[in-house]
Amino acid sequence: MDCEVKVVSVLLAMAVSAAAATSDPGETAVRFLEKVRTKNLNLEPGADTALSPQTLESKRREIARRLERMARDLGNDPLEVGAMKLDGDLAGVLVRKISDFNPNRMQVFPIALVKRDAEWLAAPVPASFENTGVGYTADLRKRLKGLENWMLHEQVLDLANLRDQSAVRLRRKIEEALPAATLRKLDSQQVAARFLAACETRNLPEMFGFLGGLESHPPSDWPQRIKAAESALAAKPDGSDPWRLLVSKDVLRMIVLHDEDGRNAMVSIGCLDPAGGIRPASRPRIRLVHLEMTRSKEGLWRIDLPSNFLQETENPDDSAAEDLDSDLLDAFPVKLGEAYPTSPQPTAEDARKAVVAAIQEGELSSLIRLIHLDGDPQTAREDCIRASQLWWAMREPSSVRHTVPLATREDDKVAAATFQFFSARNPDHLDFKILYFEQRTTGWLWTPKPSPETEASFREWTALQAGHWRDHWQEALLADSPPLNELPETKAPPEKESCALIDSWFQSMRAGDVTAALRLTTRLNLPDSTATLLRNLGYELTGARMHKQTPSITGVYRADGWTAVGTRFDSNGEPSFPLYPVVTTPSGPRILMEVDLAASTKRSRNYLNKTALKRLAKSKFNGSAATLEDLLSQHQAELSTLKNR
């Protein structure tokens, strides 16, 4: 017992000591700026700042506008504490915004702080103690003025010092990624290849090394090179032309020409761009990037970027130059085939499955391995373009698509396979495609551009296929989601299994896995059940693709053979509360996705709920509509609580 008393006494003493400890002004200043940056700063008096309660509302609005401008200046760069000056219960702190590469992005933010009790609080106006409620005596005003002048003076000196040190800091970062001794051993072709690899892996320090950052006297346009490369990687993942051709993970790049003359060299890079450019609906193309190189007196090769890489310009239409560079374009498929040797399949069916796997889950290079590129150069170029077009149609980020194999026919050494390309954007639209395959001495490969003779030999069969699958492709897609012919006489699905089912549903939505999602569903046996299920599936897939946050389960409700799982989903700060009906089937618990329910106070949502329940009432399970309506009411009753979670 005495031991327990001693332990409690020690813990109490530690708690009192911790409570009495004074907060750190430097950490407080950084924390203040982080809240400004994330727009989470509470400007109410007594909250996150030293704002005086006597501050007028008009002044608060002005301060808020200043802080919004500061948030833009802060950006995403890391912050660190610089110089600090303490004067009793007052302090001035310089917080540095550090950029490892671009000195023009460096900034110094002077923050005034006031200590109240044992806590430091930041003044809401940078480099100023105004609106903090201090400064009434002459001596105090003198101290405040001295600290403000110190912050403004040191801000200028510290920023200049930071920028002077940036060259040393940058050189150190580059040397860590690419030692000068390593670069000195590389020839111009190796430099070009390593530079492309650095672009693809988005290794900015290494890119700088190849752009001249290791030279004693960097090139005259060095600041522009830094800014251009850094901006290319800091923008959207795929950037914008022409940088996108070098850094996008979706572009296949091959050096098609290397020419060296003394201290000068040039490489031409063929780029198979599946997106076809940054404009929507562009056809894929093989585009060329020409890079010049110079060898310095120190024996270091450096990449000299074209002018359109260094400054923002309108994307030029370089298609007119294709005729002049046709020999380089013809060389691209040859180089591509050398880098990605063909992988013939034992049978036509194996080749079909390999193509489906490549366009659904693989890289573009995995699809390139399934075509032959050793024939006529222009045909090979067209095969590359068609392959990348098909791959991008299934993989481009703005939509979820799924390949539904329909039928296959083999005739001697050629075969044809038909597919439906399901799209979450147009879930009830038929997108019927035919792919052709050819048997070579080494095995079966896909032929993106079949010969006229091959197409003619399958024309009658493909016409019959198109007519048949126009009305039946949905049956093939929904093979793993059988209709609910009867409601089993059993208890409602268990709560644990139902929650696991909904968690799996959320995972399949996040992954865009249509097959996995449909295996979790069932449907009614109404004439439009398939179309309704696919439409609701499309809505959920599109929503998951647009918003990264995964919904959460908020409650489970059970009655008369049904379990309903309540959820919450936040989209742009606006919460919604879907309710998923779960029923037992011969295959286990399944979601009845075509009955779309959600708790809401909005009239439009209530109308949709009534429409969904009326739909259920028209089925053979009409008695279940009242049960689900009651479960929805229970979910609805918790709406005010759910909103505050």
Side-chain angles (χ1 to χ4, degrees):
M1 183 64 124
D2 291 339
C3 181
E4 291 180 2
V5 171
K6 288 180 181 178
V7 170
V8 171
S9 300
V10 170
L11 291 175
L12 286 173
M14 291 174 63
V16 171
S17 175
T22 304
S23 63
D24 182 80
E27 291 179 0
T28 302
V30 171
R31 193 161 52 245
F32 164 74
L33 288 178
E34 289 290 359
K35 288 188 175 183
V36 170
R37 167 156 50 194
T38 58
K39 299 183 180 179
N40 287 324
L41 187 73
N42 187 344
L43 261 181
E44 291 297 318
D48 293 335
T49 72
L51 185 71
S52 169
Q54 283 73 43
T55 306
L56 297 175
E57 185 61 34
S58 58
K59 185 63 177 179
R60 288 191 200 179
R61 289 195 295 269
E62 180 186 335
I63 293 172
R65 286 193 294 271
R66 288 190 192 180
L67 294 178
E68 284 184 11
R69 291 194 295 270
M70 181 185 285
R72 291 194 293 269
D73 291 338
L74 284 165
N76 297 316
D77 293 301
L79 303 175
E80 69 177 26
V81 178
M84 184 188 311
K85 186 174 183 179
L86 301 179
D87 184 0
D89 56 357
L90 305 173
V93 175
L94 301 183
V95 179
R96 299 164 161 180
K97 185 183 82 164
I98 302 299
S99 171
D100 285 333
F101 308 122
N102 191 346
N104 294 325
R105 293 231 323 250
M106 293 179 173
Q107 283 187 268
V108 176
F109 298 90
I111 306 299
L113 296 103
V114 177
K115 186 166 69 172
R116 290 179 177 160
D117 297 327
E119 293 295 320
W120 286 99
L121 291 171
V125 179
S128 174
F129 290 91
E130 65 175 290
N131 301 112
T132 59
V134 297
Y136 296 106
T137 68
D139 179 62
L140 189 52
R141 285 198 298 270
K142 184 178 179 180
R143 290 169 58 201
L144 296 174
K145 192 65 176 176
L147 276 174
E148 290 174 348
N149 288 340
W150 175 86
M151 284 187 284
L152 294 174
H153 179 262
E154 291 297 317
Q155 178 190 24
V156 175
L157 295 179
D158 197 39
L159 182 57
N161 185 45
L162 267 181
R163 289 178 174 171
D164 287 342
Q165 296 173 357
S166 65
V168 176
R169 186 185 305 216
L170 176 56
R171 174 70 182 234
R172 186 167 58 248
K173 287 280 186 180
I174 295 172
E175 279 273 9
E176 290 173 358
L178 178 67
T182 299
L183 179 56
R184 189 169 285 108
K185 295 177 183 178
L186 301 178
D187 61 35
S188 60
Q189 190 165 8
Q190 291 171 325
V191 166
R194 286 278 300 266
F195 176 67
L196 291 181
C199 288
E200 186 171 344
T201 57
R202 309 176 81 82
N203 188 330
L204 195 54
E206 190 170 352
M207 289 168 62
F208 286 150
F210 290 119
L211 291 174
L214 291 174
E215 298 176 15
S216 301
H217 302 285
S220 59
D221 60 352
W222 179 235
Q224 290 95 317
R225 296 184 186 213
I226 292 177
K227 181 180 179 182
E230 191 176 31
S231 298
L233 300 192
K236 294 180 180 179
D238 291 329
S240 59
D241 286 347
W243 274 105
R244 186 174 57 82
L245 296 175
L246 299 188
V247 303
S248 172
K249 61 182 177 61
D250 297 322
V251 174
L252 288 182
R253 291 167 280 271
M254 292 289 128
I255 295 177
V256 295
L257 175 68
H258 168 254
D259 186 26
E260 183 178 331
D261 181 14
R263 292 188 172 275
N264 297 295
M266 188 190 80
V267 292
S268 296
I269 305 152
C271 305
L272 179 57
D273 179 14
I278 60 174
R279 293 181 296 275
S282 298
R283 189 172 188 265
R285 292 166 54 195
I286 300 171
R287 303 175 64 187
L288 293 172
V289 174
H290 305 286
L291 297 178
E292 295 182 353
M293 288 183 282
T294 304
R295 191 171 190 177
S296 70
K297 294 179 180 179
E298 302 166 60
L300 303 175
W301 282 103
R302 135 183 122 230
I303 303 285
D304 292 321
L305 295 169
S307 60
N308 59 336
F309 277 80
L310 297 177
Q311 53 194 4
E312 292 186 10
T313 58
E314 291 187 8
N315 296 313
D317 183 3
D318 52 7
S319 57
E322 290 184 0
D323 291 339
L324 298 176
D325 294 322
S326 60
D327 57 331
L328 299 181
L329 296 173
D330 287 344
F332 179 81
V334 178
K335 298 290 186 181
L336 196 63
E338 293 172 356
Y340 304 105
T342 56
S343 178
Q345 301 298 304
T347 67
E349 179 63 12
D350 290 329
R352 181 191 68 79
K353 290 179 178 178
V355 168
V356 170
I359 60 179
Q360 285 288 162
E361 303 169 5
E363 301 296 329
L364 177 55
S365 58
S366 63
L367 187 59
I368 293 297
R369 292 181 184 275
L370 299 171
I371 64 178
H372 53 82
L373 298 173
D374 54 356
D376 173 68
Q378 291 195 0
T379 300
R381 281 163 55 184
E382 182 64 22
D383 282 345
C384 288
I385 289 170
R386 291 192 180 196
S388 65
Q389 187 173 29
L390 177 69
W391 184 85
W392 185 251
M394 299 302 298
R395 302 295 297 279
E396 65 101 359
S398 65
S399 180
V400 177
R401 305 201 66 170
H402 178 68
T403 307
V404 186
L406 300 177
T408 305
R409 177 177 174 177
E410 186 176 335
D411 186 6
D412 195 15
K413 293 186 177 183
V414 290
T418 57
F419 300 87
Q420 155 67 1
F421 280 10
F422 170 81
S423 168
R425 285 182 176 174
N426 300 291
D428 53 0
H429 173 68
L430 174 66
D431 187 2
F432 183 78
K433 294 191 184 300
I434 308 162
L435 301 185
Y436 295 89
F437 301 85
E438 179 181 328
Q439 185 182 27
R440 308 193 118 206
T441 55
T442 54
W444 285 87
L445 292 170
W446 173 41
T447 305
K449 185 182 179 182
S451 67
E453 294 78 16
T454 297
E455 289 186 299
S457 66
F458 286 96
R459 187 167 293 131
E460 184 177 348
W461 179 78
T462 55
L464 291 173
Q465 288 288 305
H468 171 74
W469 291 111
R470 183 173 291 108
D471 300 319
H472 297 91
W473 69 267
Q474 293 175 330
E475 296 173 11
L477 176 60
L478 295 177
D480 290 328
S481 180
L484 190 63
N485 293 314
E486 60 180 358
L487 194 64
E489 295 182 5
T490 183
K491 293 181 180 180
E495 178 175 331
K496 185 177 180 180
E497 291 184 22
S498 299
C499 289
L501 177 70
I502 299 304
D503 281 335
S504 297
W505 174 261
F506 291 154
Q507 291 173 20
S508 63
M509 290 298 100
R510 179 66 53 213
D513 191 335
V514 175
T515 300
L518 288 173
R519 287 175 182 154
L520 305 174
T521 68
T522 187
R523 52 194 161 112
L524 300 173
N525 215 346
L526 297 174
D528 61 345
S529 284
T530 56
T532 304
L533 169 57
L534 292 178
R535 185 169 59 250
N536 290 349
L537 173 67
Y539 291 153
E540 297 245 345
L541 285 167
T542 302
R545 179 57 57 93
M546 293 173 60
H547 308 290
K548 295 182 178 180
Q549 184 178 8
T550 300
S552 57
I553 293 175
T554 59
V556 181
Y557 317 93
R558 304 171 69 216
D560 298 337
W562 289 90
T563 296
V565 180
T567 64
R568 172 176 178 147
F569 175 66
D570 290 291
S571 173
N572 299 324
E574 182 68 25
S576 59
F577 305 94
L579 183 71
Y580 293 92
V582 179
V583 63
T584 299
T585 74
S587 302
R590 295 287 186 102
I591 308 170
L592 188 62
M593 272 304 300
E594 63 181 291
V595 178
D596 178 25
L597 302 172
S600 177
T601 57
K602 294 181 179 179
R603 181 178 298 179
S604 58
R605 180 65 254 184
N606 292 333
Y607 171 78
L608 293 175
N609 287 339
K610 290 179 181 179
T611 301
L613 292 170
K614 285 180 181 178
R615 173 180 181 75
L616 183 60
K618 291 179 181 178
S619 72
K620 63 176 68 175
F621 313 114
N622 57 329
S624 299
T627 300
L628 283 182
E629 185 174 17
D630 180 61
L631 299 182
L632 175 62
S633 297
Q634 295 179 46
H635 183 48
Q636 181 78 35
E638 297 186 25
L639 183 59
S640 58
T641 303
L642 295 173
K643 281 188 174 181
N644 295 325
R645 287 187 184 177

